[in-house]
Amino acid sequence: MTELHFTCTEVRADRHAAGPTLVFRLRITAAGGHRVHAVALRCQLRIEPARRTYADAEGERLTDLFGERARWGSTLHPIQFAQVSLMVPGFTGETEVDVPVACTYDLDIAATRYFRALDEGEVPLLLLFSGTVFSGPAGFQVTPVSWDRESTVRLPVRVWREMIEQHFPGCGWLRLPGDVIDGLLAFRTRRALPSWEATVRALLSTAEPPEPAEPVKIGEIGEPVEAEPVEIGEGVR
């Protein structure tokens, strides 16, 4: 059985990809310098939120994922980020390959909401490996990748933000049901609004409660009015 070891040495954004893509540089080492013909590799990526600290503003934005900060001791569970497969070409002893991971800016995805909530620092990631190894110095052996193979890496928040900004500058995406889209379109048409941004802003302005008026004190409006004194009992029968 050929035993493999995995180390993630780098993570970067692919500036030439058609969509937001992170590239994980992976070093694969075959124990004993054995000859490996190919590896059908599967990689599962998880976010480990309990392995970093959070500023107050970040904690407030993460409430919808983990609840109030007082409960984080029991709610700060790992978040599934991605699962990818690739074929690793043959090598002897050690090799390095790039693992591209397509990313989304859909705010319905928990991983995206987590990334967006962070201002700075790094995101702790855990990479879990499985798959099939085709090896053998003279013949051909087929063995599974051990299920305990894993590697850790810390993704700078700056890298993720730059990647998203490259493809969606200053924007975000919301996925809505078709009937809601139809309702928004009808609202936009009735109001003759020029864009979707103007449509959403108009809805937000109508949804916000009006600011309460400040109480007016007697004598603040116009000139003060002096009341004539009235004698008690005068005109009373």
Side-chain angles (χ1 to χ4, degrees), residues 37-236:
H37 301 300
V39 182
L41 188 64
R42 293 187 297 274
C43 178
Q44 182 180 4
L45 295 91
R46 293 180 183 173
I47 301 171
E48 302 277 282
R51 292 171 46 205
R52 62 157 286 167
T53 58
Y54 302 90
D56 292 340
E58 294 173 333
E60 292 178 2
R61 292 191 289 266
L62 290 170
T63 300
D64 66 328
L65 286 177
F66 306 121
E68 298 297 331
R69 190 184 284 265
R71 300 175 50 215
W72 283 11
S74 59
T75 62
L76 222 59
H77 300 304
I79 300 174
Q80 178 75 10
F81 176 34
Q83 187 163 342
V84 296
S85 301
L86 74 155
M87 288 298 301
V88 179
F91 64 94
T92 300
E94 185 176 282
T95 188
E96 291 192 2
V97 294
D98 287 336
V99 181
V101 177
C103 301
T104 177
Y105 203 27
D106 187 344
L107 294 179
D108 283 342
I109 306 300
T112 304
R113 298 208 308 273
Y114 177 84
F115 284 128
R116 184 175 173 81
L118 303 181
D119 293 324
E120 57 185 10
E122 297 174 327
V123 177
L125 298 175
L126 177 65
L127 285 66
L128 304 169
F129 301 99
S130 61
T132 305
V133 184
F134 305 92
S135 61
F140 197 77
Q141 299 177 347
V142 179
T143 57
V145 175
S146 179
W147 282 92
D148 62 353
R149 301 295 91 177
E150 62 183 42
S151 179
T152 59
V153 66
R154 302 187 75 88
L155 166 65
V157 175
R158 169 186 51 79
V159 172
W160 185 85
R161 288 190 175 277
E162 290 175 354
M163 173 193 68
I164 294 297
E165 187 67 18
Q166 177 186 352
H167 294 276
F168 308 122
C171 299
W173 295 97
L174 289 176
R175 182 174 54 189
L176 299 173
D179 58 336
V180 177
I181 295 293
D182 293 339
L184 286 173
L185 181 58
F187 178 84
R188 175 179 175 178
T189 302
R190 289 194 304 270
R191 298 290 187 91
L193 297 169
S195 65
W196 287 114
E197 178 184 352
T199 302
V200 175
R201 289 187 181 277
L203 288 170
L204 289 175
S205 64
T206 58
E208 293 177 354
E211 296 183 0
E214 295 184 1
V216 178
K217 298 180 181 180
I218 297 175
E220 288 188 350
I221 300 179
E223 296 296 330
V225 178
E226 295 182 1
E228 295 183 0
V230 179
E231 294 184 4
I232 298 175
E234 184 178 284
V236 180

Side-chain angles (χ1 to χ4, degrees), residues 6-25:
F6 301 88
T7 305
C8 185
T9 60
E10 180 191 15
V11 57
R12 69 183 189 278
D14 187 347
R15 297 184 177 276
H16 305 289
T21 303
L22 291 173
V23 179
F24 293 80
R25 187 67 175 174

